[in-house]
Amino acid sequence: MRRLLLPALIALMMPMTANAAEINGVPKIREADQIVIGSTRIRLHGVDAPSVDQLCLDSKGERWSCGVAARDELIRHVGTKSWHCKTLHLDRRGRMLAQCTVDGEDIQKWLVQHGWALAFVKYARDYEAEEKAARAAKAGLWAGAFFAPWDWRVRNKKTTVLGAVKPPDTASAILLASASGPVAPSPECTIKGNVNRSGHCIYHRPESRWYAKIKMHVSKGTRWFCSVEEAEAAGCRETRR
């Protein structure tokens, strides 16, 4: 009996495995490289785009919410269409890494071509040619000056400033200062993070008791977060008061 049942069970499992490797649907675009389809959080493989709290300099040297711009450009391009994503594996934050297309168009390729993301060469070298072309065309982020998205997450005074043209001498100072300045980088990034006397990172939502008393200064190790998930991923916990 077992010998008869085993092939049948394998046959039943095979379609389920194939379906699990593909996700289709109209997404909620959280960031230019992060979407949600149904209940599945997806991180686009092979590219790294600025998070919505990232600030850059535009072609005129003015501060610019480049992470929000990158996300909104993707929404305008394919935000209302059905996506087809081939999944790879889960990342350390529980997101599904995937290659996604819309009507046959490679979304990762489009992002890099238009300067809204960089080739994430640490993990894949698929889009290096597109990045080179975007840099030459001064497309998207390349029109001004910015930190690479992976550098933004661990930025400091020695972080390299990128750009198609030579960035102004003040670029690094401006970008670092804007990261934790008194004004939130975008209307969506209003959670405050600070380090308490015990050296623990604490985050405060706008409705929390101490929110107004937390002053945002780079020198004091404060920073803005766009979501509770982002704050907790950075090792912060919510204030207990």
Side-chain angles (χ1 to χ4, degrees):
M1 180 64 72
R2 287 183 178 179
R3 290 181 180 180
L4 293 174
L5 287 174
L6 186 58
L9 288 171
I10 293 174
L12 286 171
M13 291 173 64
M14 287 178 65
M16 291 175 66
T17 302
N19 289 336
E22 297 182 356
I23 299 174
N24 300 291
V26 178
K28 294 178 181 178
I29 299 177
R30 303 302 192 194
E31 298 191 346
D33 58 7
Q34 297 184 48
I35 66 171
V36 178
I37 296 179
S39 60
T40 303
R41 295 184 300 132
I42 296 172
R43 172 73 162 80
L44 301 185
H45 177 68
V47 303
D48 201 6
S51 58
V52 291
D53 72 329
Q54 182 164 346
L55 291 168
C56 304
L57 298 181
D58 63 17
S59 59
K60 297 179 181 179
E62 300 292 332
R63 293 192 303 178
W64 171 43
S65 297
C66 56
V68 172
R71 180 202 60 189
D72 290 351
E73 286 298 325
L74 181 60
I75 291 173
R76 276 191 281 270
H77 184 56
V78 288
T80 60
K81 296 184 177 182
S82 182
W83 289 39
H84 176 68
C85 296
K86 294 183 178 180
T87 63
L88 302 173
H89 56 82
L90 290 174
D91 70 5
R92 60 185 178 83
R93 294 176 60 183
R95 301 168 301 187
M96 184 63 72
L97 285 172
Q99 296 277 0
C100 296
T101 60
V102 176
D103 296 334
E105 179 180 46
D106 183 328
I107 296 304
Q108 286 93 314
K109 184 176 182 178
W110 181 88
L111 283 166
V112 178
Q113 279 181 327
H114 289 81
W116 299 120
L118 273 61
F120 210 170
V121 294
K122 180 179 179 180
Y123 299 103
R125 310 186 76 91
D126 300 3
Y127 304 106
E128 289 184 286
E130 286 76 16
E131 181 180 307
K132 184 177 180 180
R135 185 189 307 119
K138 300 180 183 179
L141 306 176
W142 296 103
F146 63 99
F147 293 148
W150 51 85
D151 284 337
W152 169 265
R153 295 189 283 270
V154 292
R155 56 195 177 275
N156 57 51
K157 292 181 179 180
K158 296 183 179 180
T159 301
T160 301
V161 179
L162 301 178
V165 296
K166 185 180 183 299
D169 294 336
T170 57
S172 182
I174 292 172
L175 292 174
L176 284 170
S178 63
S180 299
V183 179
S186 81
E188 301 173 5
C189 303
T190 56
I191 296 176
K192 293 180 177 180
N194 74 303
V195 178
N196 67 12
R197 293 178 181 177
S198 300
H200 298 125
C201 180
I202 311 297
Y203 69 84
H204 308 259
R205 306 190 207 203
E207 64 271 19
S208 75
R209 177 182 177 185
W210 300 109
Y211 186 84
K213 295 184 178 181
I214 301 298
K215 304 303 179 184
M216 306 300 283
H217 299 287
V218 176
S219 61
K220 293 186 177 181
T222 57
R223 64 168 290 187
W224 295 96
F225 293 107
C226 301
S227 67
V228 168
E229 178 188 53
E230 181 186 358
E232 293 179 346
C236 302
R237 65 164 174 79
E238 187 167 15
T239 179
R240 297 193 177 106
R241 294 182 291 176

